Amino acid sequence: MKAQDLKTLLDLLSPCLGDGKLLPVLSTVCFDKDGVYAYNDVVATLYKWEHGLGEFAVEGKALLNLLASYSKSDEEVDFNYSPSSSVLQVKIGRSTVKLPTLERSAFIFEPPTGEGSSVMGIGIGRDLTERRRLRDTLEAVAASSVMPVYKAVVLGTNKESFGLMAFASNGPTMIHALVGKVKAAPDKDERWIVPKLAITQILAALEVSEEDGAQLALTKELIVAVCGDVIVVAKLIQDNAPNFYTPLSAKANVTLDKWKTTELEFALSIASAVGASYTGVTTSFQISKGMMVLQTKGGKAEARDSIKLEKSTPDFNFGMDPNLFKKAFALESLSGPLKLNDSAGVFGDSGTFLYAAAFMRVNAPQNQATVETDDDIPF
């Protein structure tokens, strides 16, 4: 196998390498008769490959480090496994390296057979647009949270449109995207909470595969994604998926069709810079007489900016973290109006891609807005 091809394979598998302190096999790349795979306690990624080397497991980081030190990507890397000595011999360039292995009996993961799937025939990431939406959805996944659903992506079916929707929320923000299609309408809409790493691995599989999307099968406990020669298997998170449609059904007080302007983006950057420099900084937004006024205050620091809107709208005041507002400019998948309801700014099109950012509470007596942070977030 060429060095570059092997490195691509190991890069695909490496996110699934776990901590092998208690179970050494979790930090290894496993070779069996069907292919090569790596798994941790949540997600596994398998690559179908008739390697003919035998069945064994070898330390994943050792293989990755060997390939990282070898610059000749077009040359062959030779493997030779010796069952009697439990050693994998790797010939790379002029060097020969011997690595210890684990036997097949140490494997604890068995690829699923597909039996008992409650829902099948779901395509995900069928084109570049769906893949971009799915990747953008990860922007709303929390880095850490006591609530498992905030660290995951919720996949849900829509029996009316046959669409597969992805939802993610970290509390202050939420993303809702059309990422696939269901071949046959389900009897009822279903939702599954999928670990973030599983979605990341599905996207990685789509990058290395020439297939038009991945095919999903789901049980009560597992999601299985097949993308050409790559299979991603993950345990579903057993929790109640929230109804993400609820905060989106609120009536809009103001709708801005052409909100994405360089003037507003610059004003948000200034507000963010002030907020990053001082503590206790808040930003309020006042819409009145065809203008949007941004006012940022914290300690003795203050910034003020006025943006002319395309048309006059009802007067409206709200508070929002300018960084959350700025994120709307960075999301490639986002297009469509900005709707301001009582608790959030909702950007985009609910049928394809939507981004929502929560307000902070605003009081604006005598046209002087102040912002009070509020723990009540809509998502």
Side-chain angles (χ1 to χ4, degrees):
M1 193 175 195
K2 290 188 182 297
Q4 183 57 50
D5 294 337
L6 182 58
K7 187 175 186 306
T8 299
L9 170 59
L10 292 174
D11 286 343
L12 174 66
L13 300 182
S14 62
C16 294
L17 294 173
D19 186 348
K21 291 180 181 179
L22 294 178
L23 289 172
V25 73
L26 294 181
S27 64
T28 66
V29 174
C30 302
F31 292 72
D32 69 8
K33 57 184 177 60
D34 297 318
V36 187
Y37 55 92
Y39 56 93
N40 52 44
D41 58 344
V42 176
V43 182
T45 302
L46 304 86
Y47 181 75
K48 297 177 184 177
W49 177 25
E50 295 181 3
H51 48 76
L53 295 171
E55 296 184 299
F56 60 92
V58 63
E59 189 66 30
K61 288 184 179 179
L63 288 179
L64 283 167
N65 291 337
L66 284 177
L67 268 296
S69 64
Y70 190 57
S71 60
K72 297 182 179 180
S73 60
D74 59 339
E75 292 196 10
E76 295 286 332
V77 177
D78 295 325
F79 290 119
N80 185 18
Y81 171 60
S82 172
S84 59
S85 59
S86 295
V87 167
L88 175 67
Q89 180 175 287
V90 183
K91 185 170 177 55
I92 181 168
R94 295 183 179 181
S95 300
T96 300
V97 182
K98 293 183 178 180
L99 301 175
T101 63
L102 298 175
E103 298 180 352
R104 178 68 177 83
S105 58
F107 295 10
I108 59 174
F109 173 80
E110 295 293 340
T113 62
E115 297 179 3
S117 297
S118 60
V119 178
M120 299 183 69
I122 298 177
I124 188 171
R126 299 166 300 158
D127 54 34
L128 292 177
T129 298
E130 287 187 353
R131 295 175 197 182
R132 184 175 64 244
R133 289 177 191 153
L134 185 58
R135 187 174 291 106
D136 281 349
T137 301
L138 297 176
E139 292 293 319
V141 177
S144 62
S145 174
V146 295
M147 297 181 64
V149 70
Y150 280 179
K151 297 184 290 184
V153 173
V154 176
L155 295 180
T157 57
N158 186 320
K159 63 182 180 180
E160 295 181 1
S161 67
F162 286 42
L164 178 70
M165 310 304 295
F167 306 86
S169 175
N170 54 18
T173 66
M174 186 200 75
I175 287 178
H176 162 204
L178 176 65
V179 297
K181 199 77 171 178
V182 182
K183 290 183 179 178
D187 295 333
K188 61 179 182 178
D189 287 340
E190 298 195 53
R191 292 179 189 147
W192 306 272
I193 306 176
V194 182
K196 178 183 178 180
L197 178 57
I199 299 297
T200 302
Q201 288 302 96
I202 292 172
L203 286 167
L206 290 167
E207 288 292 324
V208 302
S209 173
E210 297 180 355
E211 298 293 315
D212 295 329
Q215 297 300 311
L216 302 184
L218 295 114
T219 69
K220 291 182 178 180
E221 297 180 349
L222 293 177
I223 178 173
V224 180
V226 179
C227 185
D229 290 331
V230 183
I231 301 173
V232 178
V233 183
K235 295 178 182 177
L236 296 172
I237 296 174
Q238 303 302 315
D239 199 358
N240 293 322
N243 183 356
F244 286 111
Y245 287 104
T246 300
L248 309 180
S249 59
K251 180 181 178 181
N253 299 300
V254 172
T255 298
L256 302 176
D257 293 318
K258 296 181 179 180
W259 56 271
K260 204 170 187 178
T261 65
T262 54
E263 292 82 5
L264 177 56
E265 186 174 17
F266 181 76
L268 292 168
S269 296
I270 295 297
S272 297
V274 174
S277 304
Y278 300 92
T279 59
V281 176
T282 57
T283 300
S284 64
F285 298 75
Q286 296 172 274
I287 294 176
S288 180
K289 300 178 180 178
M291 300 291 293
M292 176 188 288
V293 177
L294 287 72
Q295 189 169 343
T296 302
K297 284 187 173 184
K300 295 183 179 181
E302 182 175 347
R304 183 182 176 89
D305 221 322
S306 299
I307 309 296
K308 184 174 177 58
L309 302 176
E310 60 165 328
K311 61 181 180 180
S312 294
T313 66
D315 290 358
F316 189 68
N317 302 299
F318 64 98
M320 185 188 291
D321 183 338
N323 292 294
L324 302 187
F325 207 138
K326 277 181 62 180
K327 185 182 284 290
F329 285 81
L331 293 168
E332 286 187 66
S333 303
L334 185 59
S335 62
L338 163 58
K339 296 182 178 181
L340 304 171
N341 60 39
D342 288 338
S343 60
V346 181
F347 303 77
D349 178 2
S350 61
T352 54
F353 188 90
L354 183 147
Y355 167 70
F359 291 160
M360 294 182 292
R361 197 160 287 172
V362 172
N363 296 319
Q366 297 181 352
N367 208 29
Q368 182 63 47
T370 61
V371 182
E372 299 174 1
T373 59
D374 194 315
D375 292 331
D376 294 328
I377 50 181
F379 316 125

